[in-house]
Amino acid sequence: MKNPYSSFSGSLRDPIRDAVEMTPNVDTDLLQASRAINVAITGNVRMTLISGSTVTLHVAAGGTFPVRATRIWADGTTAAGIVALF
């Protein structure tokens, strides 16, 4: 995957600039790697990271979880109300 931040003029420490409510999917990557995710309902989130590895992590509702995800999988994801932050 191309680094979506290669032309990013700020720092990854800057505030989040965009967010997309998303539905987990087995076939489609995010348009760009997330900087973080947020979930409304606690659960597991199966995701592919920018490195290419796929992991399942338990994510608590309400917090911002810093992760560079390229795909959120429907299979293995039990959390709901997922928002990808950019």
Side-chain angles (χ1 to χ4, degrees), residues 33-48:
S34 68
R35 291 177 56 194
I37 62 170
N38 174 274
V39 301
I41 298 173
T42 298
N44 293 329
V45 179
R46 182 173 178 224
M47 63 189 88
T48 300

Side-chain angles (χ1 to χ4, degrees), residues 16-61:
I16 299 297
R17 295 180 179 197
D18 198 5
V20 175
E21 292 182 30
M22 54 156 318
T23 301
N25 192 303
V26 296
D27 297 318
T28 306
D29 286 340
L30 297 168
L31 294 178
Q32 61 180 325
S34 68
R35 291 177 56 194
I37 62 170
N38 174 274
V39 301
I41 298 173
T42 298
N44 293 329
V45 179
R46 182 173 178 224
M47 63 189 88
T48 300
L49 305 176
I50 198 165
S51 66
S53 61
T54 298
V55 298
T56 301
L57 300 173
H58 186 76
V59 180

